[in-house]
Amino acid sequence: MFSKYLTSAFTALLVTTALVTPHSAIAQTTIDEDKLDTVNGMRWGGNGLPFDKVVEIKDALVNSPLGKVVIDRHGEDPQGVLFKEPFAAPSPGRFVVVSLWGSKIEGCFVKMIVQTAPSDGKAELEEIAPKMLELGVGEQILQLKRSTNAKVRGFQGNYTYTTYENRRSIENSSTWFMTDTLFDISPEAANLLRNAPAKEIKARLTFENGDTKLIPIGSSNVKRWQEAFGFNSSCSAPQ
């Protein structure tokens, strides 16, 4: 059951709406490595992270460069009518993928953060933990498998939302879920991404139960992969 993977600290962290902070106020080109640590989960939509730019990863203690990363996200808000705001806060039916692409001193990495607020407030780990990532790069399909060296982490959080019936507002509560998955990437695969044509790429996530989800990676971020994966082009740790 999914409950085996839950982190109580994350649940407590999410019970207030104060965590929903627009990322537009963040205009940084560096980030402390500790702020990329998702051991206790991540705010809905990755709010607070610097998106759509090459970000230098630094050691918070000595301020030395450790790597570079590009952070992308894709959101779906099927119940949005006039406005679709998948990143604003969890709401029934909303679905978000935050992806991290880059290289550090010890090697290259690709990470997928999947967040979902099911309409019924229920989810199983295999429904939201991707086991394979496929990318259409030029005329090739690059397959990345889930890393066997990093355990998939699952989290859940409570949230409230408002519905309206007969001109009355009704407060409701539900649960949203998240998985944190790291994918293996070889030097050859990283090189393919580093030299990918600067155009939108489609990525396919395949889950344990066979379900798939297509997400786009914008052309600007594909272009930024050249610099992000170029920090450690060999994808190997120093000897």
Side-chain angles (χ1 to χ4, degrees), residues 82-97:
L82 294 178
F83 303 99
K84 294 184 181 293
E85 299 180 307
F87 308 122
S91 182
R94 287 181 178 170
F95 178 88
V96 171
V97 176

Side-chain angles (χ1 to χ4, degrees), residues 31 36 53-55 57 67-71 100-102 109 228:
I31 190 168
L36 294 178
K53 60 185 68 176
V54 178
V55 182
I57 304 169
K68 291 187 177 182
V69 62
V70 173
I71 309 175
L100 293 85
W101 314 78
F109 62 92

Side-chain angles (χ1 to χ4, degrees), residues 28-146:
Q28 63 187 81
T29 55
T30 65
I31 190 168
D32 292 341
E33 184 181 35
D34 298 302
K35 293 183 179 180
L36 294 178
D37 186 357
T38 53
V39 68
N40 289 319
M42 177 185 287
R43 294 178 178 182
W44 177 266
N47 284 322
L49 293 175
F51 291 95
D52 303 327
K53 60 185 68 176
V54 178
V55 182
E56 186 174 63
I57 304 169
K58 288 197 171 184
D59 188 307
L61 298 180
V62 296
N63 203 35
S64 60
L66 300 176
K68 291 187 177 182
V69 62
V70 173
I71 309 175
D72 190 279
R73 66 178 175 177
H74 166 75
E76 299 174 5
D77 184 9
Q79 296 187 20
V81 182
L82 294 178
F83 303 99
K84 294 184 181 293
E85 299 180 307
F87 308 122
S91 182
R94 287 181 178 170
F95 178 88
V96 171
V97 176
V98 177
S99 56
L100 293 85
W101 314 78
S103 59
K104 296 169 59 179
I105 291 174
E106 61 267 31
C108 299
F109 62 92
V110 173
K111 179 181 282 193
M112 290 283 158
I113 309 294
V114 175
Q115 299 176 329
T116 181
S119 297
D120 60 2
K122 300 177 182 179
E124 298 289 338
L125 182 67
E126 62 268 16
E127 295 175 338
I128 56 173
K131 66 176 183 179
M132 184 168 64
L133 169 64
E134 295 176 283
L135 298 155
V137 183
E139 300 299 320
Q140 301 183 59
I141 296 179
L142 174 63
Q143 291 186 344
L144 302 179
K145 294 184 178 180
R146 189 163 62 198

